[in-house]
Amino acid sequence: MSEVIKNRYEFVILFDVENGNPNGDPDAGNMPRIDPESGYGLVTDVCLKRKIRNYVETVKEDAEDAAGYRIYIKEDVPLNRSDNEAYEYLGVNDKTIKDLKKKDPKADEKIRDFMCSNFYDIRTFGAVMTTFVKAALNCGQVRGPVQLGFARSIDPIISQEVTITRVAITTEKDAENKSTEMGRKSIVPYALYRAEGYISANLARKVTGFSEDDLELLWEAIINMFELDHSAARGKMAVRELIVFKHSKELGDCPAYKLFDAVEVKRKEGVEFPRKYQDYTVEIHEDAIPQTVEMTRKI
Amino acid sequence: MGIGVKVKVWGDFALFSRPEMKVERCTYDVMTPSSARGILEAIYWHPGLRWIIDRIYVNKPIQFTSVRRNEVKSKVSANNALSVYNGGEKPLFMSSKEEIVQRASLILRDVEYVIEAHFEMTDKANEGDNPGKFKDIMMRRLRKGECYHMPYFGCREFPANFCLCEEEIVTAYEAVEEKDLGFMLYDMDYSDPENIQPMFFRAVMKRGVLDLRDCEVVR
């Protein structure tokens, strides 16, 4: 394992969607998420985290160092986890678990470190592990160093309802009456989204051990997060820009909002209906970034 | 005493969950004192000090929006983790297809507050520590935007920008004499780690200010 990260980071991700639905809203019949008051499109933090997890799981599946890059929260395979089973395995029950804690006062920390060293997503985003809380054996809420906010579109979006037909009918009975079935999907003709994230070196050092290698993998995962996620619903999605701010210290050199404000994304003049990435300009005001902060455009 | 600070915090969204509505999360109207304390601790904390929130100024009108998300309903099982750690042959992951649940959150949007707080020294302070030192560290971090980890409004997906508040504070409710917000969570009582208890208080916002000095705390 390489060294734990020693710098605070902030990053801006710009990604776009063409004729697809980046993130459906379960409250609105799976239409793209929209802030109802302003019309801006939203993509939740957890949506992007899912993509990052999926990417890491896929690339590390058969890798030599796969052991340290497992993913805890997976999309497949049911799992029966029963506390009692674990109790049996340990030869303890509700009462004797207290003794275990007495015998090994570091038990909770050990489990926590074990989980962090094995699971990339726990090391990165954290996880809640509190089932031992009864005996105050609490391996706790691991706060991961990487924190993501909601992504928001640069301009208000229009969601378009597309009605489609299919010729195969599901039930025999329906087949007697009709020859096609109607379905619908919602798409965004085009939208550019901006997400912002933070990485705390302190949490990495004190708790999860998120390392320089992990960081490189995170950048790789962000850049490629939509490449392995093509589907009928998503349309054409791509990460267009990953701008990373590296502070010179663990605590950072300047407020995060100043760095984010330095990245200005605008629709080009004369473009009324943006339909491609080239309709936008990305300008970085380098004079607003302190000298000690290192800025890199990863794409 | 000169150990008080005023911190301006703002962000796009906030979610200060009401404990009585935790499954489908619903936010309080304003920031809770415990959340304000969490924000300050994200910027600077030391075992030798304890933050005490004096006032919370509400600088933007209270507005809501709602988000429904796919979430997992279970936690990482520590028991399971321990048994694998001890050599048990068990699958160790959570299936998000099986454990999925859709939950809505009623959240605040476009928030801005000023937190007025001071700290008290605790007996865990080192010998060389004194209030002046802690105060200097805090002020430096506020001025330079340094933080231990990025502070957030209730949940980590709602980051909180912060800076030292040096201007005069104008709340969004100057014209509102008094607004009763009902009982709100004050903080958790961690004095007995085996039995952590919530504490509540009657929140009354006067001209946009939640005054927490001498407020009665109910357990």
Side-chain angles (χ1 to χ4, degrees), chain A residues 8 27 33 37 72 74-77 79 132 143-144 147 200 202 254, chain B residues 68 75-76 78-79 93-97 109 144-146 148-149 156:
Chain A
R8 183 178 126 189
D27 259 345
R33 289 183 192 273
E37 269 171 294
Y72 192 81
K74 294 193 191 197
E75 261 177 304
D76 280 312
V77 196
L79 175 64
F132 268 162
R143 272 179 310 177
Q147 185 181 352
S200 155
N202 301 287
C254 81
Chain B
R68 186 178 293 270
K75 296 170 190 164
V76 176
N79 283 311
F93 57 84
M94 192 188 282
S95 159
S96 60
K97 273 211 181 98
R109 51 188 296 271
K144 292 175 79 174
E146 299 175 338
Y148 182 82
H149 64 85
R156 287 191 80 195

PDB file of all heavy atoms in Angstrom, chain A residues 8 27 33 37 72 74-77 79 132 143-144 147 200 202 254, chain B residues 68 75-76 78-79 93-97 109 144-146 148-149 156:
ATOM      1  N   ARG A   8      -5.113  18.283   1.358  1.00  0.00           N
ATOM      2  CA  ARG A   8      -6.541  18.438   1.142  1.00  0.00           C
ATOM      3  C   ARG A   8      -6.762  18.675  -0.353  1.00  0.00           C
ATOM      4  O   ARG A   8      -5.927  19.286  -1.019  1.00  0.00           O
ATOM      5  CB  ARG A   8      -7.034  19.651   1.940  1.00  0.00           C
ATOM      6  CG  ARG A   8      -8.510  19.880   1.850  1.00  0.00           C
ATOM      7  CD  ARG A   8      -8.917  21.066   2.721  1.00  0.00           C
ATOM      8  NE  ARG A   8      -9.661  22.028   1.930  1.00  0.00           N
ATOM      9  CZ  ARG A   8     -10.006  23.242   2.359  1.00  0.00           C
ATOM     10  NH1 ARG A   8      -9.649  23.644   3.567  1.00  0.00           N
ATOM     11  NH2 ARG A   8     -10.681  24.061   1.592  1.00  0.00           N
ATOM     12  N   ASP A  27     -39.799   9.988  -7.405  1.00  0.00           N
ATOM     13  CA  ASP A  27     -41.006  10.735  -7.045  1.00  0.00           C
ATOM     14  C   ASP A  27     -41.770  11.234  -8.259  1.00  0.00           C
ATOM     15  O   ASP A  27     -42.914  11.644  -8.147  1.00  0.00           O
ATOM     16  CB  ASP A  27     -40.614  11.959  -6.205  1.00  0.00           C
ATOM     17  CG  ASP A  27     -40.843  11.721  -4.740  1.00  0.00           C
ATOM     18  OD1 ASP A  27     -41.548  10.754  -4.410  1.00  0.00           O
ATOM     19  OD2 ASP A  27     -40.315  12.499  -3.930  1.00  0.00           O
ATOM     20  N   ARG A  33     -34.298  14.265 -12.651  1.00  0.00           N
ATOM     21  CA  ARG A  33     -34.484  15.117 -11.466  1.00  0.00           C
ATOM     22  C   ARG A  33     -34.384  16.581 -11.848  1.00  0.00           C
ATOM     23  O   ARG A  33     -33.448  17.001 -12.529  1.00  0.00           O
ATOM     24  CB  ARG A  33     -33.406  14.827 -10.440  1.00  0.00           C
ATOM     25  CG  ARG A  33     -33.557  13.492  -9.758  1.00  0.00           C
ATOM     26  CD  ARG A  33     -32.477  13.348  -8.706  1.00  0.00           C
ATOM     27  NE  ARG A  33     -32.388  11.990  -8.212  1.00  0.00           N
ATOM     28  CZ  ARG A  33     -33.125  11.508  -7.208  1.00  0.00           C
ATOM     29  NH1 ARG A  33     -34.021  12.292  -6.617  1.00  0.00           N
ATOM     30  NH2 ARG A  33     -32.980  10.277  -6.811  1.00  0.00           N
ATOM     31  N   GLU A  37     -38.347  24.647  -8.627  1.00  0.00           N
ATOM     32  CA  GLU A  37     -38.471  26.099  -8.624  1.00  0.00           C
ATOM     33  C   GLU A  37     -37.631  26.765  -9.709  1.00  0.00           C
ATOM     34  O   GLU A  37     -38.053  27.732 -10.323  1.00  0.00           O
ATOM     35  CB  GLU A  37     -38.092  26.659  -7.254  1.00  0.00           C
ATOM     36  CG  GLU A  37     -39.314  26.773  -6.360  1.00  0.00           C
ATOM     37  CD  GLU A  37     -38.926  27.108  -4.948  1.00  0.00           C
ATOM     38  OE1 GLU A  37     -38.291  26.274  -4.298  1.00  0.00           O
ATOM     39  OE2 GLU A  37     -39.270  28.199  -4.507  1.00  0.00           O
ATOM     40  N   TYR A  72     -18.026  -2.968  -0.802  1.00  0.00           N
ATOM     41  CA  TYR A  72     -18.960  -3.496   0.184  1.00  0.00           C
ATOM     42  C   TYR A  72     -20.402  -3.448  -0.311  1.00  0.00           C
ATOM     43  O   TYR A  72     -21.135  -4.417  -0.200  1.00  0.00           O
ATOM     44  CB  TYR A  72     -18.851  -2.738   1.509  1.00  0.00           C
ATOM     45  CG  TYR A  72     -19.584  -3.466   2.594  1.00  0.00           C
ATOM     46  CD1 TYR A  72     -18.983  -4.546   3.234  1.00  0.00           C
ATOM     47  CD2 TYR A  72     -20.890  -3.147   2.937  1.00  0.00           C
ATOM     48  CE1 TYR A  72     -19.651  -5.267   4.183  1.00  0.00           C
ATOM     49  CE2 TYR A  72     -21.564  -3.865   3.892  1.00  0.00           C
ATOM     50  CZ  TYR A  72     -20.944  -4.918   4.522  1.00  0.00           C
ATOM     51  OH  TYR A  72     -21.619  -5.646   5.446  1.00  0.00           O
ATOM     52  N   LYS A  74     -22.748  -3.730  -3.021  1.00  0.00           N
ATOM     53  CA  LYS A  74     -22.806  -4.218  -4.396  1.00  0.00           C
ATOM     54  C   LYS A  74     -24.221  -4.188  -4.915  1.00  0.00           C
ATOM     55  O   LYS A  74     -25.179  -4.139  -4.155  1.00  0.00           O
ATOM     56  CB  LYS A  74     -22.297  -5.649  -4.455  1.00  0.00           C
ATOM     57  CG  LYS A  74     -20.844  -5.794  -4.118  1.00  0.00           C
ATOM     58  CD  LYS A  74     -20.386  -7.172  -4.514  1.00  0.00           C
ATOM     59  CE  LYS A  74     -19.021  -7.444  -3.965  1.00  0.00           C
ATOM     60  NZ  LYS A  74     -18.385  -8.559  -4.641  1.00  0.00           N
ATOM     61  N   GLU A  75     -24.319  -4.311  -6.239  1.00  0.00           N
ATOM     62  CA  GLU A  75     -25.643  -4.256  -6.828  1.00  0.00           C
ATOM     63  C   GLU A  75     -26.313  -5.626  -6.898  1.00  0.00           C
ATOM     64  O   GLU A  75     -27.501  -5.721  -7.092  1.00  0.00           O
ATOM     65  CB  GLU A  75     -25.576  -3.623  -8.209  1.00  0.00           C
ATOM     66  CG  GLU A  75     -25.969  -2.171  -8.174  1.00  0.00           C
ATOM     67  CD  GLU A  75     -25.837  -1.509  -9.521  1.00  0.00           C
ATOM     68  OE1 GLU A  75     -24.750  -1.532 -10.107  1.00  0.00           O
ATOM     69  OE2 GLU A  75     -26.846  -0.977  -9.977  1.00  0.00           O
ATOM     70  N   ASP A  76     -25.509  -6.701  -6.773  1.00  0.00           N
ATOM     71  CA  ASP A  76     -26.087  -8.019  -6.997  1.00  0.00           C
ATOM     72  C   ASP A  76     -25.950  -8.954  -5.808  1.00  0.00           C
ATOM     73  O   ASP A  76     -25.483  -8.578  -4.762  1.00  0.00           O
ATOM     74  CB  ASP A  76     -25.419  -8.671  -8.208  1.00  0.00           C
ATOM     75  CG  ASP A  76     -26.001  -8.135  -9.482  1.00  0.00           C
ATOM     76  OD1 ASP A  76     -27.240  -8.089  -9.569  1.00  0.00           O
ATOM     77  OD2 ASP A  76     -25.225  -7.739 -10.354  1.00  0.00           O
ATOM     78  N   VAL A  77     -26.321 -10.182  -6.035  1.00  0.00           N
ATOM     79  CA  VAL A  77     -26.143 -11.291  -5.118  1.00  0.00           C
ATOM     80  C   VAL A  77     -26.786 -11.048  -3.762  1.00  0.00           C
ATOM     81  O   VAL A  77     -26.306 -10.251  -2.970  1.00  0.00           O
ATOM     82  CB  VAL A  77     -24.635 -11.635  -4.911  1.00  0.00           C
ATOM     83  CG1 VAL A  77     -24.524 -13.008  -4.294  1.00  0.00           C
ATOM     84  CG2 VAL A  77     -23.880 -11.545  -6.199  1.00  0.00           C
ATOM     85  N   LEU A  79     -27.802 -11.718   0.056  1.00  0.00           N
ATOM     86  CA  LEU A  79     -26.892 -12.082   1.127  1.00  0.00           C
ATOM     87  C   LEU A  79     -27.694 -12.175   2.408  1.00  0.00           C
ATOM     88  O   LEU A  79     -28.456 -11.293   2.733  1.00  0.00           O
ATOM     89  CB  LEU A  79     -25.833 -11.000   1.243  1.00  0.00           C
ATOM     90  CG  LEU A  79     -24.846 -11.118   2.371  1.00  0.00           C
ATOM     91  CD1 LEU A  79     -24.011 -12.359   2.216  1.00  0.00           C
ATOM     92  CD2 LEU A  79     -23.949  -9.907   2.355  1.00  0.00           C
ATOM     93  N   PHE A 132     -22.876  -3.417  16.869  1.00  0.00           N
ATOM     94  CA  PHE A 132     -22.364  -3.845  18.167  1.00  0.00           C
ATOM     95  C   PHE A 132     -22.725  -2.879  19.279  1.00  0.00           C
ATOM     96  O   PHE A 132     -22.260  -2.999  20.389  1.00  0.00           O
ATOM     97  CB  PHE A 132     -20.832  -3.949  18.112  1.00  0.00           C
ATOM     98  CG  PHE A 132     -20.353  -5.306  17.751  1.00  0.00           C
ATOM     99  CD1 PHE A 132     -19.055  -5.506  17.303  1.00  0.00           C
ATOM    100  CD2 PHE A 132     -21.192  -6.404  17.861  1.00  0.00           C
ATOM    101  CE1 PHE A 132     -18.604  -6.766  16.968  1.00  0.00           C
ATOM    102  CE2 PHE A 132     -20.744  -7.666  17.527  1.00  0.00           C
ATOM    103  CZ  PHE A 132     -19.454  -7.842  17.082  1.00  0.00           C
ATOM    104  N   ARG A 143     -16.285   7.842   8.740  1.00  0.00           N
ATOM    105  CA  ARG A 143     -16.478   8.921   7.779  1.00  0.00           C
ATOM    106  C   ARG A 143     -15.356   8.835   6.773  1.00  0.00           C
ATOM    107  O   ARG A 143     -14.186   8.892   7.143  1.00  0.00           O
ATOM    108  CB  ARG A 143     -16.430  10.272   8.477  1.00  0.00           C
ATOM    109  CG  ARG A 143     -17.774  10.697   9.001  1.00  0.00           C
ATOM    110  CD  ARG A 143     -17.663  12.007   9.697  1.00  0.00           C
ATOM    111  NE  ARG A 143     -16.590  11.987  10.658  1.00  0.00           N
ATOM    112  CZ  ARG A 143     -16.223  13.043  11.386  1.00  0.00           C
ATOM    113  NH1 ARG A 143     -16.825  14.173  11.227  1.00  0.00           N
ATOM    114  NH2 ARG A 143     -15.234  12.952  12.249  1.00  0.00           N
ATOM    115  N   GLY A 144     -15.701   8.686   5.531  1.00  0.00           N
ATOM    116  CA  GLY A 144     -14.658   8.602   4.521  1.00  0.00           C
ATOM    117  C   GLY A 144     -14.148   9.983   4.196  1.00  0.00           C
ATOM    118  O   GLY A 144     -14.826  10.968   4.428  1.00  0.00           O
ATOM    119  N   GLN A 147     -16.032  13.445  -0.038  1.00  0.00           N
ATOM    120  CA  GLN A 147     -17.374  13.969   0.172  1.00  0.00           C
ATOM    121  C   GLN A 147     -17.838  14.601  -1.141  1.00  0.00           C
ATOM    122  O   GLN A 147     -17.119  15.380  -1.751  1.00  0.00           O
ATOM    123  CB  GLN A 147     -17.280  15.026   1.277  1.00  0.00           C
ATOM    124  CG  GLN A 147     -18.557  15.619   1.735  1.00  0.00           C
ATOM    125  CD  GLN A 147     -18.304  16.665   2.821  1.00  0.00           C
ATOM    126  OE1 GLN A 147     -17.194  16.828   3.310  1.00  0.00           O
ATOM    127  NE2 GLN A 147     -19.328  17.388   3.195  1.00  0.00           N
ATOM    128  N   SER A 200     -10.781  15.141   2.528  1.00  0.00           N
ATOM    129  CA  SER A 200     -10.132  15.547   3.761  1.00  0.00           C
ATOM    130  C   SER A 200      -8.978  14.606   4.074  1.00  0.00           C
ATOM    131  O   SER A 200      -9.185  13.415   4.313  1.00  0.00           O
ATOM    132  CB  SER A 200     -11.145  15.533   4.899  1.00  0.00           C
ATOM    133  OG  SER A 200     -10.491  15.352   6.136  1.00  0.00           O
ATOM    134  N   ASN A 202      -7.203  14.705   6.692  1.00  0.00           N
ATOM    135  CA  ASN A 202      -7.212  14.379   8.120  1.00  0.00           C
ATOM    136  C   ASN A 202      -7.981  13.099   8.387  1.00  0.00           C
ATOM    137  O   ASN A 202      -7.552  12.246   9.164  1.00  0.00           O
ATOM    138  CB  ASN A 202      -7.836  15.511   8.918  1.00  0.00           C
ATOM    139  CG  ASN A 202      -7.079  16.800   8.727  1.00  0.00           C
ATOM    140  OD1 ASN A 202      -6.001  16.952   9.245  1.00  0.00           O
ATOM    141  ND2 ASN A 202      -7.628  17.695   7.926  1.00  0.00           N
ATOM    142  N   CYS A 254      -6.961  27.661   1.385  1.00  0.00           N
ATOM    143  CA  CYS A 254      -7.958  28.704   1.187  1.00  0.00           C
ATOM    144  C   CYS A 254      -9.343  28.065   1.184  1.00  0.00           C
ATOM    145  O   CYS A 254      -9.467  26.850   1.060  1.00  0.00           O
ATOM    146  CB  CYS A 254      -7.692  29.476  -0.101  1.00  0.00           C
ATOM    147  SG  CYS A 254      -8.281  28.659  -1.565  1.00  0.00           S
TER     148      CYS A 254
ATOM    149  N   ARG B  68     -36.153  12.308  -3.434  1.00  0.00           N
ATOM    150  CA  ARG B  68     -36.312  10.891  -3.102  1.00  0.00           C
ATOM    151  C   ARG B  68     -35.142  10.117  -3.698  1.00  0.00           C
ATOM    152  O   ARG B  68     -34.798  10.316  -4.856  1.00  0.00           O
ATOM    153  CB  ARG B  68     -37.639  10.351  -3.646  1.00  0.00           C
ATOM    154  CG  ARG B  68     -37.933   8.921  -3.202  1.00  0.00           C
ATOM    155  CD  ARG B  68     -39.269   8.444  -3.716  1.00  0.00           C
ATOM    156  NE  ARG B  68     -40.373   9.177  -3.110  1.00  0.00           N
ATOM    157  CZ  ARG B  68     -40.976   8.800  -1.975  1.00  0.00           C
ATOM    158  NH1 ARG B  68     -40.580   7.730  -1.345  1.00  0.00           N
ATOM    159  NH2 ARG B  68     -41.974   9.503  -1.495  1.00  0.00           N
ATOM    160  N   LYS B  75     -27.202  -1.612   7.847  1.00  0.00           N
ATOM    161  CA  LYS B  75     -25.852  -1.125   8.109  1.00  0.00           C
ATOM    162  C   LYS B  75     -24.850  -2.254   7.898  1.00  0.00           C
ATOM    163  O   LYS B  75     -25.222  -3.413   7.834  1.00  0.00           O
ATOM    164  CB  LYS B  75     -25.752  -0.662   9.556  1.00  0.00           C
ATOM    165  CG  LYS B  75     -26.627   0.508   9.881  1.00  0.00           C
ATOM    166  CD  LYS B  75     -26.634   0.706  11.380  1.00  0.00           C
ATOM    167  CE  LYS B  75     -27.682   1.721  11.769  1.00  0.00           C
ATOM    168  NZ  LYS B  75     -27.975   1.644  13.200  1.00  0.00           N
ATOM    169  N   VAL B  76     -23.599  -1.889   7.851  1.00  0.00           N
ATOM    170  CA  VAL B  76     -22.546  -2.888   7.816  1.00  0.00           C
ATOM    171  C   VAL B  76     -22.633  -3.666   9.116  1.00  0.00           C
ATOM    172  O   VAL B  76     -22.677  -3.078  10.192  1.00  0.00           O
ATOM    173  CB  VAL B  76     -21.168  -2.204   7.740  1.00  0.00           C
ATOM    174  CG1 VAL B  76     -20.069  -3.238   7.813  1.00  0.00           C
ATOM    175  CG2 VAL B  76     -21.050  -1.377   6.494  1.00  0.00           C
ATOM    176  N   ALA B  78     -21.241  -5.398  11.999  1.00  0.00           N
ATOM    177  CA  ALA B  78     -19.945  -5.502  12.655  1.00  0.00           C
ATOM    178  C   ALA B  78     -19.675  -6.939  13.080  1.00  0.00           C
ATOM    179  O   ALA B  78     -18.544  -7.405  13.069  1.00  0.00           O
ATOM    180  CB  ALA B  78     -19.889  -4.570  13.855  1.00  0.00           C
ATOM    181  N   ASN B  79     -20.759  -7.644  13.448  1.00  0.00           N
ATOM    182  CA  ASN B  79     -20.613  -9.054  13.829  1.00  0.00           C
ATOM    183  C   ASN B  79     -20.023  -9.863  12.692  1.00  0.00           C
ATOM    184  O   ASN B  79     -19.089 -10.639  12.849  1.00  0.00           O
ATOM    185  CB  ASN B  79     -21.981  -9.642  14.154  1.00  0.00           C
ATOM    186  CG  ASN B  79     -22.452  -9.197  15.509  1.00  0.00           C
ATOM    187  OD1 ASN B  79     -21.716  -9.273  16.475  1.00  0.00           O
ATOM    188  ND2 ASN B  79     -23.668  -8.702  15.554  1.00  0.00           N
ATOM    189  N   PHE B  93     -20.348  -8.532   1.980  1.00  0.00           N
ATOM    190  CA  PHE B  93     -20.766  -7.328   1.257  1.00  0.00           C
ATOM    191  C   PHE B  93     -22.266  -7.188   1.415  1.00  0.00           C
ATOM    192  O   PHE B  93     -22.929  -8.043   1.982  1.00  0.00           O
ATOM    193  CB  PHE B  93     -20.357  -7.368  -0.212  1.00  0.00           C
ATOM    194  CG  PHE B  93     -20.872  -8.554  -0.972  1.00  0.00           C
ATOM    195  CD1 PHE B  93     -22.143  -8.534  -1.509  1.00  0.00           C
ATOM    196  CD2 PHE B  93     -20.093  -9.690  -1.135  1.00  0.00           C
ATOM    197  CE1 PHE B  93     -22.623  -9.617  -2.209  1.00  0.00           C
ATOM    198  CE2 PHE B  93     -20.567 -10.788  -1.825  1.00  0.00           C
ATOM    199  CZ  PHE B  93     -21.838 -10.756  -2.363  1.00  0.00           C
ATOM    200  N   MET B  94     -22.775  -6.120   0.903  1.00  0.00           N
ATOM    201  CA  MET B  94     -24.198  -5.862   1.024  1.00  0.00           C
ATOM    202  C   MET B  94     -24.751  -5.733  -0.382  1.00  0.00           C
ATOM    203  O   MET B  94     -24.151  -5.082  -1.218  1.00  0.00           O
ATOM    204  CB  MET B  94     -24.353  -4.546   1.788  1.00  0.00           C
ATOM    205  CG  MET B  94     -25.726  -4.239   2.264  1.00  0.00           C
ATOM    206  SD  MET B  94     -25.734  -2.575   2.915  1.00  0.00           S
ATOM    207  CE  MET B  94     -24.975  -2.807   4.498  1.00  0.00           C
ATOM    208  N   SER B  95     -25.866  -6.381  -0.638  1.00  0.00           N
ATOM    209  CA  SER B  95     -26.441  -6.286  -1.969  1.00  0.00           C
ATOM    210  C   SER B  95     -27.414  -5.124  -2.009  1.00  0.00           C
ATOM    211  O   SER B  95     -28.421  -5.121  -1.319  1.00  0.00           O
ATOM    212  CB  SER B  95     -27.169  -7.573  -2.319  1.00  0.00           C
ATOM    213  OG  SER B  95     -28.086  -7.309  -3.353  1.00  0.00           O
ATOM    214  N   SER B  96     -27.100  -4.150  -2.850  1.00  0.00           N
ATOM    215  CA  SER B  96     -27.981  -2.987  -2.859  1.00  0.00           C
ATOM    216  C   SER B  96     -29.298  -3.288  -3.564  1.00  0.00           C
ATOM    217  O   SER B  96     -30.260  -2.550  -3.440  1.00  0.00           O
ATOM    218  CB  SER B  96     -27.281  -1.782  -3.485  1.00  0.00           C
ATOM    219  OG  SER B  96     -26.909  -2.052  -4.799  1.00  0.00           O
ATOM    220  N   LYS B  97     -29.358  -4.400  -4.314  1.00  0.00           N
ATOM    221  CA  LYS B  97     -30.646  -4.763  -4.934  1.00  0.00           C
ATOM    222  C   LYS B  97     -31.599  -5.314  -3.890  1.00  0.00           C
ATOM    223  O   LYS B  97     -32.790  -5.060  -3.906  1.00  0.00           O
ATOM    224  CB  LYS B  97     -30.415  -5.803  -6.033  1.00  0.00           C
ATOM    225  CG  LYS B  97     -30.089  -5.164  -7.360  1.00  0.00           C
ATOM    226  CD  LYS B  97     -30.596  -6.000  -8.529  1.00  0.00           C
ATOM    227  CE  LYS B  97     -30.227  -5.351  -9.846  1.00  0.00           C
ATOM    228  NZ  LYS B  97     -29.022  -5.927 -10.428  1.00  0.00           N
ATOM    229  N   ARG B 109     -33.503  24.579   1.175  1.00  0.00           N
ATOM    230  CA  ARG B 109     -32.642  25.017   0.082  1.00  0.00           C
ATOM    231  C   ARG B 109     -32.199  26.461   0.270  1.00  0.00           C
ATOM    232  O   ARG B 109     -32.896  27.255   0.891  1.00  0.00           O
ATOM    233  CB  ARG B 109     -33.323  24.829  -1.271  1.00  0.00           C
ATOM    234  CG  ARG B 109     -34.700  25.403  -1.410  1.00  0.00           C
ATOM    235  CD  ARG B 109     -35.305  24.984  -2.716  1.00  0.00           C
ATOM    236  NE  ARG B 109     -34.534  25.535  -3.812  1.00  0.00           N
ATOM    237  CZ  ARG B 109     -34.784  26.722  -4.337  1.00  0.00           C
ATOM    238  NH1 ARG B 109     -35.764  27.446  -3.895  1.00  0.00           N
ATOM    239  NH2 ARG B 109     -34.051  27.168  -5.335  1.00  0.00           N
ATOM    240  N   LYS B 144      -8.415  31.765   6.763  1.00  0.00           N
ATOM    241  CA  LYS B 144      -7.750  31.131   5.632  1.00  0.00           C
ATOM    242  C   LYS B 144      -8.568  30.027   4.981  1.00  0.00           C
ATOM    243  O   LYS B 144      -8.148  29.437   3.998  1.00  0.00           O
ATOM    244  CB  LYS B 144      -6.403  30.558   6.088  1.00  0.00           C
ATOM    245  CG  LYS B 144      -5.415  31.653   6.453  1.00  0.00           C
ATOM    246  CD  LYS B 144      -4.143  31.084   7.001  1.00  0.00           C
ATOM    247  CE  LYS B 144      -3.236  30.573   5.903  1.00  0.00           C
ATOM    248  NZ  LYS B 144      -1.938  30.143   6.455  1.00  0.00           N
ATOM    249  N   GLY B 145      -9.727  29.744   5.560  1.00  0.00           N
ATOM    250  CA  GLY B 145     -10.559  28.697   4.971  1.00  0.00           C
ATOM    251  C   GLY B 145     -10.019  27.311   5.218  1.00  0.00           C
ATOM    252  O   GLY B 145     -10.302  26.378   4.475  1.00  0.00           O
ATOM    253  N   GLU B 146      -9.232  27.142   6.269  1.00  0.00           N
ATOM    254  CA  GLU B 146      -8.718  25.813   6.591  1.00  0.00           C
ATOM    255  C   GLU B 146      -9.762  25.047   7.382  1.00  0.00           C
ATOM    256  O   GLU B 146     -10.522  25.630   8.141  1.00  0.00           O
ATOM    257  CB  GLU B 146      -7.456  25.931   7.462  1.00  0.00           C
ATOM    258  CG  GLU B 146      -6.315  26.659   6.805  1.00  0.00           C
ATOM    259  CD  GLU B 146      -5.147  26.848   7.765  1.00  0.00           C
ATOM    260  OE1 GLU B 146      -5.336  26.805   8.987  1.00  0.00           O
ATOM    261  OE2 GLU B 146      -4.034  27.059   7.268  1.00  0.00           O
ATOM    262  N   TYR B 148     -10.594  20.866   9.206  1.00  0.00           N
ATOM    263  CA  TYR B 148     -10.197  19.474   9.426  1.00  0.00           C
ATOM    264  C   TYR B 148     -10.854  18.601   8.366  1.00  0.00           C
ATOM    265  O   TYR B 148     -10.221  17.806   7.704  1.00  0.00           O
ATOM    266  CB  TYR B 148     -10.620  19.049  10.824  1.00  0.00           C
ATOM    267  CG  TYR B 148     -10.217  17.642  11.182  1.00  0.00           C
ATOM    268  CD1 TYR B 148      -8.934  17.362  11.624  1.00  0.00           C
ATOM    269  CD2 TYR B 148     -11.131  16.596  11.076  1.00  0.00           C
ATOM    270  CE1 TYR B 148      -8.572  16.073  11.944  1.00  0.00           C
ATOM    271  CE2 TYR B 148     -10.768  15.304  11.395  1.00  0.00           C
ATOM    272  CZ  TYR B 148      -9.487  15.043  11.828  1.00  0.00           C
ATOM    273  OH  TYR B 148      -9.124  13.758  12.143  1.00  0.00           O
ATOM    274  N   HIS B 149     -12.156  18.744   8.236  1.00  0.00           N
ATOM    275  CA  HIS B 149     -12.852  18.183   7.074  1.00  0.00           C
ATOM    276  C   HIS B 149     -13.932  19.171   6.688  1.00  0.00           C
ATOM    277  O   HIS B 149     -14.275  20.051   7.462  1.00  0.00           O
ATOM    278  CB  HIS B 149     -13.417  16.785   7.362  1.00  0.00           C
ATOM    279  CG  HIS B 149     -14.467  16.745   8.420  1.00  0.00           C
ATOM    280  ND1 HIS B 149     -15.794  16.985   8.149  1.00  0.00           N
ATOM    281  CD2 HIS B 149     -14.395  16.502   9.742  1.00  0.00           C
ATOM    282  CE1 HIS B 149     -16.487  16.889   9.264  1.00  0.00           C
ATOM    283  NE2 HIS B 149     -15.677  16.598  10.250  1.00  0.00           N
ATOM    284  N   ARG B 156     -23.682  14.776   4.825  1.00  0.00           N
ATOM    285  CA  ARG B 156     -22.428  15.123   4.151  1.00  0.00           C
ATOM    286  C   ARG B 156     -22.592  15.551   2.702  1.00  0.00           C
ATOM    287  O   ARG B 156     -21.707  16.161   2.123  1.00  0.00           O
ATOM    288  CB  ARG B 156     -21.456  13.945   4.225  1.00  0.00           C
ATOM    289  CG  ARG B 156     -20.908  13.780   5.615  1.00  0.00           C
ATOM    290  CD  ARG B 156     -19.764  12.811   5.627  1.00  0.00           C
ATOM    291  NE  ARG B 156     -18.524  13.421   5.187  1.00  0.00           N
ATOM    292  CZ  ARG B 156     -17.456  12.732   4.834  1.00  0.00           C
ATOM    293  NH1 ARG B 156     -17.498  11.425   4.847  1.00  0.00           N
ATOM    294  NH2 ARG B 156     -16.368  13.328   4.450  1.00  0.00           N
TER     295      ARG B 156
END
